[in-house]
DNA sequence: CCGTACATCGTACGTTGTACAATATACAAC
DNA sequence: GTTGTATATTGTACAACGTACGATGTACGG
């Protein structure tokens, strides 16, 4: 009881910063945390977040499922680790001009590209990501785009969070509508043939005049294929305009 | 083969508009779609989306689990129905002033209130919700706040989608951080005691000068309790400012 | 009055994350 | 060199999920 050798399970923070105690007794470890995380990222990239199961991941590493719990306390922590490595290796581009707007636009585009390349990340990432090295470096780098604009520290954090939340949502919506279109057995024509009559009957222009008019215009404009990217482009300009209101005052 | 009596399973649209064929043969139905949906909404309201299982829902209705599949083709369609009834019964408030900004602010606040009252809806609702009667009425009503401002039809749709996406994300983040705080076994003090030393060691101000300064300021300003509502207030003003750029031009 | 369409429901399958206990291994201490 | 122990690995097992399938009973159309 009192002499029980407590093996405190590694907290998430220790894993993120790779601050494991490095014990020496017992058999050698056949893997590293990085290998597990890398395999998980590869699997999620190729087959999506729902294909990332403990069993599949263990299989891809040539181990039994339960073995992974030696390296990671649970699936939640695994996803956090995946996200942080993604942030650490994130590609960045230079701003296209000297102004704050160019810098923030580059930040937005880089994040959008990241989430489009790894759709599982947009779906998985929580509002406040865990404070790993990758996240911290990203936060530092992106905050610099807002430095020297006359904003207070709190405003800088608010502004960045606002921009990043928009990008993440846009990417998530884009990936989702893409997945829905792929998963849908019906083509657009088939869907319209099946549901068109009912829709026409029920969406009369007297009950919903504005909705019918605007909805039809929007549907024709972007034929649902480039819908998501258009929404991102529109939203990014609006978001930057919104930030301009507190920057250029 | 050719004379096979095909029982076409009801499409989602028919369910949303309650356009079921109303067959007369066989035993009486013991429930209605509305009763099932209402019970599902009540269950999700009280215990969250993850507690909404077919078994629990059937139990709350006094039926066997598989019985529900008589009324709804699957869980996906059930959630769509839940969302549409939520939209149909959604409470709206009047704008606080005569301008477009007051109208849009009212739309944003109404949506935020809806998603805060029914957190599962913010988590479940897809980017493009199904075209049920509730969704259509909501779309019509909210578009009217954008009418007569000189925007094109496509721009009106873009602007509304942009605003609603922001609100949904803000509400989702708010609910998530609230849930995390409740689910966390540790209090803030405990967490800090456990992770503070490592964090202090690893977050040195030389590697991350801006991040440390801004992060500390942000952390102190809103002590994580009213964080989410603050983010909504800030983001709403920024979003409206962003839309102003294309409305007041 | 009968045949059939349909509501109801019990059972079962494949899937998930992971708790638990058994086994094998390699270093620390003597 | 031997022994004790911490630990990596793994097989089995559990509870929960959505839902496919088939049996059973009911009530209306012919």
């Amino acid at each position: 009881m009192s002499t029980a050798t407590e093996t405190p399970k590694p907290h998430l923070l220790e894993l993120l910063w790779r601050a494991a105690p490095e014990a020496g007794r017992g058999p050698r470890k056949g893997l590293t945390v990085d290998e597990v995380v890398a395999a998980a990222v590869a699997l999620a990239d190729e087959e999506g977040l729902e294909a990332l199961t403990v069993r599949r991941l263990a299989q891809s590493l040539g181990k039994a499922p339960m073995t992974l719990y030696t390296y990671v306390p649970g699936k939640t922590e695994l996803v956090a680790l995946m996200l942080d490595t993604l942030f650490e290796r994130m590609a960045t581009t230079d701003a296209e001009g000297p102004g704050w707007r160019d810098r923030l636009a580059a930040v937005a585009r880089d994040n959008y590209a990241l989430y489009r390349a790894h759709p599982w990340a947009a779906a998985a990432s929580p509002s406040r990501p865990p404070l790993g090295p990758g996240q911290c470096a990203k936060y530092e780098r992106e905050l610099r785009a807002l430095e020297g604009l006359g904003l207070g520290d709190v405003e800088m954090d608010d502004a960045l969070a606002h921009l990043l939340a928009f990008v993440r949502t846009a990417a998530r919506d884009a990936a989702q509508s893409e997945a829905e279109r792929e998963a849908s057995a019906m083509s657009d024509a088939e869907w319209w043939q099946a549901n068109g009559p009912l829709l026409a009957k029920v969406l009369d222009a007297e009950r919903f005049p504005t909705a019918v008019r605007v909805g039809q215009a929007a549907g024709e404009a972007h034929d649902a294929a480039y819908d998501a990217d258009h929404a991102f482009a529109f939203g990014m300009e609006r978001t930057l305009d919104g930030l301009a209101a507190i920057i250029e005052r």
Side-chain angles (χ1 to χ4, degrees), chain A residues 1-187:
Chain A
M1 301 295 186
S2 58
T3 62
T5 42
E6 46 188 65
T7 317
K9 79 152 80 175
H11 295 319
L12 176 56
L13 259 190
E14 297 173 5
L15 268 132
L16 282 167
W17 292 92
R18 303 302 194 276
E22 186 79 33
R25 199 108 75 160
R28 284 287 146 74
K29 292 203 177 210
L31 294 170
T32 61
V33 175
D34 295 88
E35 284 175 313
V36 174
V37 173
V41 169
L43 183 54
D45 280 347
E46 287 166 23
E47 310 198 34
L49 192 58
E50 73 285 348
L52 176 66
T53 69
V54 177
R55 287 163 229 263
R56 293 255 315 176
L57 178 57
Q59 189 185 16
S60 85
L61 287 164
K63 298 284 178 180
M66 288 307 292
T67 303
L68 302 189
Y69 286 88
T70 314
Y71 300 92
V72 160
K75 201 187 180 183
T76 315
E77 290 83 356
L78 174 64
V79 173
L81 284 164
M82 293 168 63
L83 274 175
D84 203 68
T85 62
L86 214 64
F87 291 152
E88 195 142 38
R89 315 196 194 298
M90 178 180 178
T92 62
T93 61
D94 289 334
E96 292 179 357
W100 65 266
R101 193 168 177 123
D102 300 300
R103 293 200 300 275
L104 284 191
V107 167
R109 276 195 306 267
D110 289 345
N111 274 272
Y112 191 69
L114 176 76
Y115 287 127
R116 292 294 283 148
H118 309 277
W120 55 269
S125 72
S127 42
R128 287 288 183 182
L131 293 173
Q135 167 63 27
C136 286
K138 181 173 183 283
Y139 186 49
E140 172 75 23
R141 167 171 28 93
E142 292 170 343
L143 275 179
R144 295 225 172 112
L146 283 161
E147 191 99 85
L149 300 177
L151 294 180
D153 286 347
V154 179
E155 275 178 320
M156 287 176 63
D157 182 69
D158 287 339
L160 181 57
H162 180 61
L163 178 65
L164 294 184
F166 158 72
V167 173
R168 188 158 32 86
T169 303
R172 175 156 41 192
D173 288 351
Q176 183 176 285
S177 75
E178 204 170 78
E180 276 174 9
R181 190 164 33 252
E182 283 180 10
S184 166
M186 290 187 289
S187 70

